[in-house]
Amino acid sequence: MDTRFKWPDGKKVAVCITFDVDAESGWKFDPANQQRLSLLSSGAYGRRTGVPRILRLLAKHGIPAQFFVPGYTAEIDPALVKSIHDAGYPIGCHGYDHERTDELTYEQEDDILARSKDRLASITGIVPTGFRAPLWEITPQTLQLLDKHGFEYDSSLMGDDIPYCVQAGQKDLLELPVTWLLDDWEQFAYSAMPQTGYVIEEPEKVLRMWKAEFSALYEEGCYFMLTMHPEIIGRASRIAMLDQLVTFIKSHEGVWFCTPEMLAKSWRTGEFSTEKHPY
Ligand SMILES: [Zn+2]
């Protein structure tokens, strides 16, 4: 048992099911990709087929989940964002064109944060307070700007397997850490051009791996933050695997299915406290 930390209401473990709706924005880093219709369609698959399949699975289980949506995805498919919002799932920022933060000037990053927040708020009526960096990379500049733009939490760092705080400008920012171990991209993503990924893993293998990590984190009373992409996890056999994983997690006592948004509120209202780390 990890004794540094206590979940509210005697819960034993927190489970966050999250989806980054990269879609076509994930390929915007290279202008040549804009002519690659097959590549772009693999992103569109996530919007057209993946998200509806995910929403059906979440409704079947009656569990909360959260989506992080780049501004560009929202720009080309506002109805998608509305469908996620109308189904009751919170939405956080994930860049505009899925930009790498480590390549941005202060002015560029400032502008991207403002535009991505505005784009989502114009559809949902809610100003996002959560951020997840594209490619999970943030810089000291990102932290300053997250403070400036009023973000309450980030979910990009990897420094623990319980929530912690980092200094962002004048305030503490809640960090909800992630790990490549619990990311579908690493397991399943593959593209020939541009070359991405190496081998497409079997759902059974990923189910074993994720169950093992959940079971160990459950024993320690930590948290289980799963990050997935609709264009990747949204394939039929993988949604069936996710269905089995959720069923397995639900069979445990004291599981708190929650969202980053719910964790931020719980932290803000003092229901749990965290350690502070530099990153
Ligand atoms: Zn992404």
Side-chain angles (χ1 to χ4, degrees):
M1 178 63 74
D2 192 324
T3 54
R4 295 173 298 162
F5 191 81
K6 242 192 167 119
W7 291 111
D9 301 329
K11 295 291 186 193
K12 192 160 161 54
V13 69
V15 173
C16 287
I17 308 283
T18 66
F19 301 92
D20 298 353
V21 193
D22 294 355
E24 291 94 322
S25 80
W27 305 115
K28 290 202 86 186
F29 63 89
D30 181 355
N33 289 341
Q34 297 312 301
Q35 301 302 317
R36 295 181 172 133
L37 299 185
S38 183
L39 181 70
L40 293 176
S41 72
S42 73
Y45 178 92
R47 296 188 287 107
R48 285 180 200 140
T49 311
V51 169
R53 201 175 256 152
I54 288 164
L55 293 180
R56 290 197 294 275
L57 179 74
L58 294 172
K60 172 184 159 183
H61 282 287
I63 52 170
Q66 183 157 338
F67 293 73
F68 290 89
V69 181
Y72 183 71
T73 302
E75 181 185 320
I76 61 173
D77 200 346
L80 176 83
V81 174
K82 192 158 174 4
S83 72
I84 295 168
H85 172 71
D86 288 350
Y89 303 105
I91 298 174
C93 287
H94 190 50
Y96 201 94
D97 288 335
H98 206 263
E99 304 87 354
R100 280 177 56 170
T101 63
D102 60 337
E103 291 181 332
L104 300 173
T105 65
Y106 184 92
E107 289 71 25
Q108 287 170 327
E109 194 167 9
D110 191 24
D111 175 59
I112 286 164
L113 281 174
R115 284 191 296 120
S116 50
K117 266 173 64 181
D118 288 352
R119 176 63 66 183
L120 294 172
S122 72
I123 300 168
T124 65
I126 294 172
V127 179
T129 58
F131 178 75
R132 171 174 284 161
L135 307 167
W136 282 342
E137 192 56 89
I138 62 170
T139 68
Q141 173 179 288
T142 309
L143 289 174
Q144 272 181 38
L145 284 166
L146 289 178
D147 174 41
K148 180 186 169 191
H149 287 275
F151 284 91
E152 280 191 310
Y153 63 94
D154 171 65
S155 181
S156 314
L157 297 175
M158 308 190 187
D160 212 325
D161 40 31
I162 50 176
Y164 59 97
C165 289
V166 289
Q167 188 74 34
Q170 297 305 307
K171 70 164 193 249
D172 285 349
L173 185 79
L174 180 65
E175 178 58 43
L176 300 171
V178 292
T179 165
W180 292 111
L181 172 60
L182 297 175
D183 183 341
D184 64 345
W185 191 271
E186 183 61 24
Q187 301 304 317
F188 297 124
Y190 183 80
S191 158
M193 180 69 75
Q195 209 286 319
T196 301
Y198 300 98
V199 65
I200 297 174
E201 298 287 358
E202 277 182 78
E204 278 300 317
K205 175 225 149 180
V206 179
L207 180 62
R208 278 199 307 278
M209 200 172 78
W210 289 355
K211 273 179 161 179
E213 183 65 6
F214 170 78
S215 297
L217 290 170
Y218 179 79
E219 287 309 313
E220 294 207 15
C222 297
Y223 99 142
F224 183 80
M225 168 66 84
L226 195 56
T227 301
M228 295 166 287
H229 303 76
E231 63 269 35
I232 304 291
I233 200 72
R235 296 279 165 186
S237 59
R238 298 172 189 160
I239 288 289
M241 180 276 283
L242 184 59
D243 190 2
Q244 289 182 62
L245 179 70
V246 171
T247 302
F248 174 74
I249 292 172
K250 283 171 106 173
S251 71
H252 292 69
E253 288 288 323
V255 173
W256 181 24
F257 279 98
C258 58
T259 61
E261 199 81 15
M262 290 161 74
L263 287 175
K265 184 175 176 204
S266 181
W267 174 71
R268 186 175 66 240
T269 56
E271 290 179 357
F272 70 86
S273 57
T274 58
E275 292 183 341
K276 189 165 180 178
H277 301 314
Y279 42 75

Short mmCIF file of all heavy atoms in Angstrom, two decimals, residues 163-218:
data_model
loop_
_atom_site.label_atom_id
_atom_site.label_comp_id
_atom_site.label_asym_id
_atom_site.label_seq_id
_atom_site.Cartn_x
_atom_site.Cartn_y
_atom_site.Cartn_z
N PRO A 163 -1.77 11.29 -8.29
CA PRO A 163 -1.72 12.71 -8.66
C PRO A 163 -0.71 13.48 -7.80
O PRO A 163 -0.46 13.10 -6.65
CB PRO A 163 -3.15 13.19 -8.37
CG PRO A 163 -3.99 11.96 -8.46
CD PRO A 163 -3.12 10.86 -7.91
N TYR A 164 -0.14 14.53 -8.37
CA TYR A 164 0.73 15.42 -7.60
C TYR A 164 0.58 16.84 -8.13
O TYR A 164 -0.19 17.07 -9.06
CB TYR A 164 2.18 14.94 -7.64
CG TYR A 164 2.85 14.80 -9.00
CD1 TYR A 164 3.66 15.80 -9.52
CD2 TYR A 164 2.71 13.63 -9.75
CE1 TYR A 164 4.32 15.66 -10.75
CE2 TYR A 164 3.35 13.47 -10.98
CZ TYR A 164 4.15 14.49 -11.47
OH TYR A 164 4.78 14.33 -12.69
N CYS A 165 1.31 17.79 -7.51
CA CYS A 165 1.23 19.19 -7.94
C CYS A 165 2.53 19.62 -8.56
O CYS A 165 3.60 19.12 -8.18
CB CYS A 165 1.05 20.12 -6.74
SG CYS A 165 -0.48 20.00 -6.01
N VAL A 166 2.44 20.57 -9.45
CA VAL A 166 3.63 21.26 -9.97
C VAL A 166 3.38 22.76 -9.88
O VAL A 166 2.22 23.20 -9.86
CB VAL A 166 3.94 20.85 -11.43
CG1 VAL A 166 4.45 19.42 -11.51
CG2 VAL A 166 2.74 21.04 -12.34
N GLN A 167 4.47 23.52 -9.84
CA GLN A 167 4.35 24.97 -9.81
C GLN A 167 4.06 25.47 -11.22
O GLN A 167 4.80 25.17 -12.16
CB GLN A 167 5.65 25.60 -9.30
CG GLN A 167 5.58 27.09 -9.06
CD GLN A 167 4.79 27.42 -7.79
OE1 GLN A 167 4.84 26.67 -6.81
NE2 GLN A 167 4.06 28.52 -7.82
N ALA A 168 2.99 26.24 -11.36
CA ALA A 168 2.66 26.82 -12.67
C ALA A 168 2.41 28.30 -12.44
O ALA A 168 1.37 28.67 -11.90
CB ALA A 168 1.43 26.16 -13.26
N GLY A 169 3.40 29.14 -12.81
CA GLY A 169 3.28 30.56 -12.53
C GLY A 169 3.19 30.76 -11.03
O GLY A 169 4.03 30.28 -10.28
N GLN A 170 2.12 31.41 -10.58
CA GLN A 170 1.97 31.74 -9.17
C GLN A 170 1.23 30.66 -8.39
O GLN A 170 1.04 30.78 -7.19
CB GLN A 170 1.19 33.06 -9.02
CG GLN A 170 1.89 34.26 -9.63
CD GLN A 170 3.31 34.42 -9.07
OE1 GLN A 170 3.51 34.45 -7.86
NE2 GLN A 170 4.29 34.50 -9.98
N LYS A 171 0.76 29.63 -9.09
CA LYS A 171 -0.11 28.70 -8.37
C LYS A 171 0.31 27.23 -8.53
O LYS A 171 1.15 26.91 -9.37
CB LYS A 171 -1.56 28.89 -8.81
CG LYS A 171 -1.85 28.43 -10.22
CD LYS A 171 -3.36 28.29 -10.43
CE LYS A 171 -3.64 27.52 -11.70
NZ LYS A 171 -4.23 28.28 -12.76
N ASP A 172 -0.31 26.39 -7.72
CA ASP A 172 -0.12 24.95 -7.86
C ASP A 172 -1.09 24.43 -8.92
O ASP A 172 -2.28 24.75 -8.89
CB ASP A 172 -0.44 24.24 -6.54
CG ASP A 172 0.65 24.42 -5.50
OD1 ASP A 172 1.73 24.91 -5.87
OD2 ASP A 172 0.40 24.07 -4.33
N LEU A 173 -0.55 23.64 -9.81
CA LEU A 173 -1.36 23.00 -10.85
C LEU A 173 -1.43 21.52 -10.51
O LEU A 173 -0.41 20.91 -10.17
CB LEU A 173 -0.66 23.20 -12.19
CG LEU A 173 -1.38 22.72 -13.45
CD1 LEU A 173 -2.46 23.73 -13.87
CD2 LEU A 173 -0.38 22.57 -14.61
N LEU A 174 -2.62 20.94 -10.58
CA LEU A 174 -2.74 19.49 -10.33
C LEU A 174 -2.21 18.75 -11.55
O LEU A 174 -2.61 19.03 -12.68
CB LEU A 174 -4.20 19.12 -10.08
CG LEU A 174 -4.46 17.64 -9.82
CD1 LEU A 174 -3.80 17.17 -8.52
CD2 LEU A 174 -5.96 17.34 -9.80
N GLU A 175 -1.33 17.80 -11.30
CA GLU A 175 -0.80 16.96 -12.39
C GLU A 175 -1.40 15.57 -12.26
O GLU A 175 -1.32 14.95 -11.19
CB GLU A 175 0.73 16.90 -12.30
CG GLU A 175 1.37 16.03 -13.35
CD GLU A 175 1.04 16.44 -14.79
OE1 GLU A 175 1.06 17.66 -15.08
OE2 GLU A 175 0.73 15.56 -15.60
N LEU A 176 -2.00 15.10 -13.33
CA LEU A 176 -2.59 13.76 -13.36
C LEU A 176 -1.75 12.92 -14.32
O LEU A 176 -1.97 12.92 -15.53
CB LEU A 176 -4.05 13.85 -13.82
CG LEU A 176 -4.92 14.71 -12.88
CD1 LEU A 176 -6.29 14.98 -13.47
CD2 LEU A 176 -5.04 14.06 -11.51
N PRO A 177 -0.75 12.22 -13.76
CA PRO A 177 0.27 11.63 -14.62
C PRO A 177 -0.22 10.49 -15.50
O PRO A 177 -1.20 9.81 -15.20
CB PRO A 177 1.33 11.14 -13.62
CG PRO A 177 0.63 11.03 -12.32
CD PRO A 177 -0.48 12.02 -12.33
N VAL A 178 0.50 10.32 -16.59
CA VAL A 178 0.20 9.31 -17.61
C VAL A 178 1.42 8.40 -17.74
O VAL A 178 2.45 8.64 -17.12
CB VAL A 178 -0.09 10.01 -18.96
CG1 VAL A 178 -1.38 10.80 -18.89
CG2 VAL A 178 1.08 10.92 -19.37
N THR A 179 1.28 7.36 -18.53
CA THR A 179 2.42 6.48 -18.79
C THR A 179 2.22 5.80 -20.15
O THR A 179 1.08 5.45 -20.51
CB THR A 179 2.59 5.41 -17.70
OG1 THR A 179 3.48 4.39 -18.19
CG2 THR A 179 1.28 4.74 -17.30
N TRP A 180 3.31 5.58 -20.86
CA TRP A 180 3.22 4.88 -22.15
C TRP A 180 2.69 3.46 -21.97
O TRP A 180 2.12 2.88 -22.89
CB TRP A 180 4.60 4.83 -22.83
CG TRP A 180 5.09 6.17 -23.28
CD1 TRP A 180 6.14 6.88 -22.77
CD2 TRP A 180 4.55 6.99 -24.35
NE1 TRP A 180 6.28 8.08 -23.43
CE2 TRP A 180 5.33 8.16 -24.40
CE3 TRP A 180 3.50 6.84 -25.24
CZ2 TRP A 180 5.08 9.18 -25.33
CZ3 TRP A 180 3.24 7.85 -26.16
CH2 TRP A 180 4.03 9.00 -26.20
N LEU A 181 2.89 2.91 -20.76
CA LEU A 181 2.40 1.56 -20.47
C LEU A 181 0.89 1.46 -20.64
O LEU A 181 0.36 0.41 -21.03
CB LEU A 181 2.81 1.19 -19.03
CG LEU A 181 2.27 -0.09 -18.41
CD1 LEU A 181 2.69 -1.31 -19.20
CD2 LEU A 181 2.76 -0.21 -16.96
N LEU A 182 0.19 2.56 -20.32
CA LEU A 182 -1.27 2.55 -20.38
C LEU A 182 -1.77 3.46 -21.50
O LEU A 182 -2.63 4.31 -21.31
CB LEU A 182 -1.84 2.98 -19.02
CG LEU A 182 -1.51 2.04 -17.86
CD1 LEU A 182 -2.00 2.62 -16.53
CD2 LEU A 182 -2.10 0.65 -18.07
N ASP A 183 -1.18 3.29 -22.68
CA ASP A 183 -1.53 4.07 -23.86
C ASP A 183 -1.72 3.10 -25.03
O ASP A 183 -0.84 2.27 -25.30
CB ASP A 183 -0.38 5.05 -24.16
CG ASP A 183 -0.70 5.98 -25.34
OD1 ASP A 183 -1.59 5.67 -26.14
OD2 ASP A 183 -0.02 7.00 -25.45
N ASP A 184 -2.86 3.22 -25.70
CA ASP A 184 -3.12 2.31 -26.82
C ASP A 184 -2.21 2.55 -28.02
O ASP A 184 -1.99 1.66 -28.84
CB ASP A 184 -4.60 2.38 -27.26
CG ASP A 184 -4.99 3.75 -27.81
OD1 ASP A 184 -4.23 4.72 -27.62
OD2 ASP A 184 -6.06 3.85 -28.44
N TRP A 185 -1.71 3.78 -28.16
CA TRP A 185 -0.90 4.12 -29.35
C TRP A 185 0.31 3.20 -29.46
O TRP A 185 0.60 2.65 -30.52
CB TRP A 185 -0.46 5.59 -29.26
CG TRP A 185 0.14 6.06 -30.54
CD1 TRP A 185 1.45 5.98 -30.91
CD2 TRP A 185 -0.55 6.66 -31.65
NE1 TRP A 185 1.62 6.50 -32.17
CE2 TRP A 185 0.41 6.92 -32.64
CE3 TRP A 185 -1.88 7.01 -31.89
CZ2 TRP A 185 0.08 7.52 -33.86
CZ3 TRP A 185 -2.21 7.60 -33.10
CH2 TRP A 185 -1.24 7.85 -34.06
N GLU A 186 0.98 3.07 -28.34
CA GLU A 186 2.22 2.27 -28.32
C GLU A 186 1.97 0.81 -28.71
O GLU A 186 2.82 0.15 -29.29
CB GLU A 186 2.81 2.36 -26.90
CG GLU A 186 4.11 1.66 -26.69
CD GLU A 186 5.21 2.21 -27.58
OE1 GLU A 186 5.13 3.36 -28.01
OE2 GLU A 186 6.16 1.45 -27.84
N GLN A 187 0.78 0.32 -28.40
CA GLN A 187 0.46 -1.10 -28.65
C GLN A 187 -0.05 -1.37 -30.06
O GLN A 187 0.26 -2.39 -30.65
CB GLN A 187 -0.62 -1.57 -27.65
CG GLN A 187 -0.19 -1.43 -26.20
CD GLN A 187 1.11 -2.16 -25.91
OE1 GLN A 187 1.32 -3.28 -26.36
NE2 GLN A 187 1.98 -1.51 -25.16
N PHE A 188 -0.87 -0.43 -30.56
CA PHE A 188 -1.64 -0.77 -31.77
C PHE A 188 -1.36 0.10 -32.98
O PHE A 188 -1.74 -0.27 -34.09
CB PHE A 188 -3.13 -0.64 -31.47
CG PHE A 188 -3.67 -1.58 -30.42
CD1 PHE A 188 -4.34 -1.10 -29.30
CD2 PHE A 188 -3.55 -2.95 -30.57
CE1 PHE A 188 -4.88 -1.95 -28.36
CE2 PHE A 188 -4.08 -3.82 -29.63
CZ PHE A 188 -4.75 -3.32 -28.52
N ALA A 189 -0.77 1.30 -32.79
CA ALA A 189 -0.69 2.23 -33.92
C ALA A 189 0.26 1.71 -34.98
O ALA A 189 1.32 1.17 -34.68
CB ALA A 189 -0.22 3.61 -33.44
N TYR A 190 -0.14 1.86 -36.23
CA TYR A 190 0.76 1.54 -37.33
C TYR A 190 0.38 2.36 -38.55
O TYR A 190 -0.80 2.48 -38.90
CB TYR A 190 0.70 0.04 -37.71
CG TYR A 190 1.70 -0.24 -38.79
CD1 TYR A 190 3.04 -0.42 -38.49
CD2 TYR A 190 1.31 -0.24 -40.14
CE1 TYR A 190 3.98 -0.59 -39.49
CE2 TYR A 190 2.26 -0.41 -41.14
CZ TYR A 190 3.58 -0.58 -40.81
OH TYR A 190 4.50 -0.74 -41.81
N SER A 191 1.40 2.93 -39.18
CA SER A 191 1.21 3.60 -40.47
C SER A 191 2.47 3.37 -41.29
O SER A 191 3.58 3.43 -40.77
CB SER A 191 0.98 5.09 -40.25
OG SER A 191 1.29 5.81 -41.42
N ALA A 192 2.28 3.09 -42.59
CA ALA A 192 3.44 2.87 -43.46
C ALA A 192 4.08 4.21 -43.85
O ALA A 192 5.29 4.32 -43.94
CB ALA A 192 3.00 2.11 -44.71
N MET A 193 3.22 5.21 -44.10
CA MET A 193 3.72 6.51 -44.57
C MET A 193 2.90 7.63 -43.97
O MET A 193 1.73 7.76 -44.34
CB MET A 193 3.62 6.56 -46.10
CG MET A 193 4.11 7.83 -46.71
SD MET A 193 5.86 8.07 -46.58
CE MET A 193 6.40 6.92 -47.84
N PRO A 194 3.48 8.43 -43.04
CA PRO A 194 4.82 8.31 -42.48
C PRO A 194 4.92 7.08 -41.58
O PRO A 194 3.93 6.67 -40.97
CB PRO A 194 4.96 9.59 -41.65
CG PRO A 194 3.55 9.96 -41.30
CD PRO A 194 2.69 9.49 -42.43
N GLN A 195 6.11 6.52 -41.53
CA GLN A 195 6.32 5.30 -40.75
C GLN A 195 6.04 5.57 -39.27
O GLN A 195 6.65 6.44 -38.67
CB GLN A 195 7.74 4.78 -40.96
CG GLN A 195 7.86 3.25 -40.81
CD GLN A 195 7.77 2.78 -39.37
OE1 GLN A 195 8.33 3.41 -38.48
NE2 GLN A 195 7.06 1.70 -39.12
N THR A 196 5.08 4.85 -38.72
CA THR A 196 4.68 5.02 -37.32
C THR A 196 4.41 3.64 -36.73
O THR A 196 3.72 2.85 -37.36
CB THR A 196 3.37 5.84 -37.23
OG1 THR A 196 3.58 7.10 -37.84
CG2 THR A 196 2.94 6.05 -35.80
N GLY A 197 4.92 3.39 -35.57
CA GLY A 197 4.67 2.11 -34.91
C GLY A 197 5.51 1.01 -35.52
O GLY A 197 6.18 1.20 -36.54
N TYR A 198 5.46 -0.16 -34.87
CA TYR A 198 6.31 -1.27 -35.31
C TYR A 198 5.50 -2.53 -35.56
O TYR A 198 5.59 -3.15 -36.59
CB TYR A 198 7.38 -1.56 -34.26
CG TYR A 198 8.27 -0.36 -34.03
CD1 TYR A 198 8.06 0.50 -32.97
CD2 TYR A 198 9.31 -0.07 -34.93
CE1 TYR A 198 8.86 1.62 -32.79
CE2 TYR A 198 10.10 1.05 -34.76
CZ TYR A 198 9.87 1.89 -33.69
OH TYR A 198 10.65 2.98 -33.53
N VAL A 199 4.69 -2.90 -34.56
CA VAL A 199 3.94 -4.13 -34.69
C VAL A 199 2.54 -3.90 -34.10
O VAL A 199 2.39 -3.16 -33.12
CB VAL A 199 4.68 -5.30 -33.99
CG1 VAL A 199 4.76 -5.08 -32.49
CG2 VAL A 199 4.02 -6.63 -34.28
N ILE A 200 1.54 -4.45 -34.74
CA ILE A 200 0.18 -4.32 -34.23
C ILE A 200 -0.05 -5.48 -33.26
O ILE A 200 -0.08 -6.64 -33.65
CB ILE A 200 -0.83 -4.36 -35.40
CG1 ILE A 200 -0.60 -3.15 -36.32
CG2 ILE A 200 -2.25 -4.39 -34.86
CD1 ILE A 200 -1.44 -3.15 -37.58
N GLU A 201 -0.20 -5.12 -31.99
CA GLU A 201 -0.30 -6.16 -30.96
C GLU A 201 -1.71 -6.77 -30.93
O GLU A 201 -2.68 -6.15 -31.32
CB GLU A 201 0.02 -5.57 -29.58
CG GLU A 201 1.43 -5.03 -29.46
CD GLU A 201 2.49 -6.12 -29.38
OE1 GLU A 201 2.14 -7.31 -29.38
OE2 GLU A 201 3.68 -5.75 -29.29
N GLU A 202 -1.78 -7.99 -30.40
CA GLU A 202 -3.07 -8.66 -30.21
C GLU A 202 -3.82 -8.01 -29.06
O GLU A 202 -3.21 -7.74 -28.00
CB GLU A 202 -2.83 -10.08 -29.69
CG GLU A 202 -2.53 -11.13 -30.64
CD GLU A 202 -2.41 -12.41 -29.82
OE1 GLU A 202 -3.44 -12.98 -29.44
OE2 GLU A 202 -1.27 -12.79 -29.54
N PRO A 203 -5.13 -7.85 -29.16
CA PRO A 203 -5.90 -7.33 -28.01
C PRO A 203 -5.69 -8.16 -26.74
O PRO A 203 -5.60 -7.60 -25.65
CB PRO A 203 -7.36 -7.42 -28.50
CG PRO A 203 -7.27 -7.34 -29.98
CD PRO A 203 -5.98 -8.03 -30.35
N GLU A 204 -5.60 -9.48 -26.87
CA GLU A 204 -5.44 -10.34 -25.69
C GLU A 204 -4.17 -10.00 -24.91
O GLU A 204 -4.16 -10.02 -23.68
CB GLU A 204 -5.36 -11.81 -26.12
CG GLU A 204 -6.71 -12.46 -26.35
CD GLU A 204 -7.58 -12.44 -25.08
OE1 GLU A 204 -7.06 -12.71 -23.99
OE2 GLU A 204 -8.78 -12.13 -25.21
N LYS A 205 -3.11 -9.71 -25.63
CA LYS A 205 -1.84 -9.36 -24.96
C LYS A 205 -1.99 -8.04 -24.21
O LYS A 205 -1.54 -7.90 -23.07
CB LYS A 205 -0.72 -9.25 -26.00
CG LYS A 205 0.61 -8.79 -25.41
CD LYS A 205 1.27 -7.73 -26.26
CE LYS A 205 2.07 -6.76 -25.45
NZ LYS A 205 2.73 -5.72 -26.23
N VAL A 206 -2.63 -7.07 -24.86
CA VAL A 206 -2.80 -5.76 -24.22
C VAL A 206 -3.73 -5.88 -23.01
O VAL A 206 -3.48 -5.27 -21.96
CB VAL A 206 -3.31 -4.73 -25.25
CG1 VAL A 206 -3.52 -3.36 -24.60
CG2 VAL A 206 -2.33 -4.63 -26.43
N LEU A 207 -4.76 -6.70 -23.15
CA LEU A 207 -5.67 -6.92 -22.02
C LEU A 207 -4.90 -7.50 -20.83
O LEU A 207 -5.06 -7.04 -19.69
CB LEU A 207 -6.80 -7.86 -22.43
CG LEU A 207 -7.83 -8.19 -21.36
CD1 LEU A 207 -8.56 -6.94 -20.87
CD2 LEU A 207 -8.85 -9.22 -21.86
N ARG A 208 -4.04 -8.45 -21.08
CA ARG A 208 -3.24 -9.04 -19.99
C ARG A 208 -2.35 -7.98 -19.32
O ARG A 208 -2.25 -7.90 -18.11
CB ARG A 208 -2.34 -10.15 -20.54
CG ARG A 208 -2.98 -11.50 -20.72
CD ARG A 208 -1.94 -12.62 -20.82
NE ARG A 208 -0.91 -12.39 -21.83
CZ ARG A 208 -1.06 -12.64 -23.13
NH1 ARG A 208 -2.21 -13.12 -23.59
NH2 ARG A 208 -0.07 -12.41 -23.98
N MET A 209 -1.71 -7.17 -20.18
CA MET A 209 -0.79 -6.16 -19.67
C MET A 209 -1.51 -5.11 -18.82
O MET A 209 -1.06 -4.74 -17.74
CB MET A 209 -0.14 -5.49 -20.88
CG MET A 209 1.13 -4.79 -20.63
SD MET A 209 1.86 -4.28 -22.20
CE MET A 209 0.88 -2.87 -22.57
N TRP A 210 -2.64 -4.64 -19.32
CA TRP A 210 -3.38 -3.59 -18.61
C TRP A 210 -4.04 -4.14 -17.35
O TRP A 210 -4.11 -3.46 -16.33
CB TRP A 210 -4.40 -2.93 -19.54
CG TRP A 210 -3.74 -2.06 -20.60
CD1 TRP A 210 -2.40 -1.76 -20.71
CD2 TRP A 210 -4.38 -1.37 -21.69
NE1 TRP A 210 -2.18 -0.94 -21.79
CE2 TRP A 210 -3.38 -0.68 -22.41
CE3 TRP A 210 -5.70 -1.26 -22.14
CZ2 TRP A 210 -3.66 0.10 -23.54
CZ3 TRP A 210 -5.98 -0.48 -23.26
CH2 TRP A 210 -4.98 0.19 -23.94
N LYS A 211 -4.52 -5.40 -17.41
CA LYS A 211 -5.08 -6.01 -16.20
C LYS A 211 -4.00 -6.14 -15.11
O LYS A 211 -4.24 -5.90 -13.93
CB LYS A 211 -5.60 -7.42 -16.51
CG LYS A 211 -7.02 -7.50 -17.01
CD LYS A 211 -7.31 -8.98 -17.28
CE LYS A 211 -8.76 -9.30 -17.34
NZ LYS A 211 -9.00 -10.73 -17.62
N ALA A 212 -2.80 -6.55 -15.53
CA ALA A 212 -1.70 -6.72 -14.57
C ALA A 212 -1.36 -5.40 -13.90
O ALA A 212 -1.16 -5.33 -12.68
CB ALA A 212 -0.47 -7.29 -15.28
N GLU A 213 -1.32 -4.33 -14.68
CA GLU A 213 -0.98 -3.02 -14.11
C GLU A 213 -2.11 -2.56 -13.18
O GLU A 213 -1.85 -2.05 -12.10
CB GLU A 213 -0.73 -2.01 -15.23
CG GLU A 213 -0.29 -0.63 -14.76
CD GLU A 213 1.06 -0.58 -14.06
OE1 GLU A 213 1.77 -1.61 -14.00
OE2 GLU A 213 1.41 0.50 -13.54
N PHE A 214 -3.36 -2.75 -13.60
CA PHE A 214 -4.47 -2.37 -12.73
C PHE A 214 -4.40 -3.13 -11.41
O PHE A 214 -4.53 -2.54 -10.33
CB PHE A 214 -5.84 -2.61 -13.40
CG PHE A 214 -6.96 -2.43 -12.42
CD1 PHE A 214 -7.39 -1.16 -12.06
CD2 PHE A 214 -7.54 -3.53 -11.78
CE1 PHE A 214 -8.37 -0.98 -11.10
CE2 PHE A 214 -8.52 -3.35 -10.81
CZ PHE A 214 -8.94 -2.07 -10.47
N SER A 215 -4.21 -4.43 -11.49
CA SER A 215 -4.22 -5.25 -10.27
C SER A 215 -3.15 -4.80 -9.28
O SER A 215 -3.39 -4.71 -8.08
CB SER A 215 -4.00 -6.72 -10.62
OG SER A 215 -5.07 -7.18 -11.42
N ALA A 216 -1.96 -4.49 -9.81
CA ALA A 216 -0.86 -4.05 -8.93
C ALA A 216 -1.14 -2.66 -8.36
O ALA A 216 -0.89 -2.41 -7.17
CB ALA A 216 0.45 -4.07 -9.71
N LEU A 217 -1.66 -1.77 -9.17
CA LEU A 217 -1.98 -0.42 -8.67
C LEU A 217 -3.12 -0.48 -7.67
O LEU A 217 -3.15 0.28 -6.70
CB LEU A 217 -2.35 0.50 -9.85
CG LEU A 217 -1.20 0.89 -10.78
CD1 LEU A 217 -1.73 1.60 -12.02
CD2 LEU A 217 -0.17 1.78 -10.07
N TYR A 218 -4.05 -1.38 -7.89
CA TYR A 218 -5.19 -1.55 -6.97
C TYR A 218 -4.68 -1.97 -5.60
O TYR A 218 -5.10 -1.42 -4.57
CB TYR A 218 -6.13 -2.62 -7.54
CG TYR A 218 -7.33 -2.92 -6.68
CD1 TYR A 218 -8.43 -2.07 -6.68
CD2 TYR A 218 -7.37 -4.06 -5.88
CE1 TYR A 218 -9.54 -2.35 -5.88
CE2 TYR A 218 -8.47 -4.34 -5.09
CZ TYR A 218 -9.55 -3.49 -5.09
OH TYR A 218 -10.64 -3.76 -4.30
#
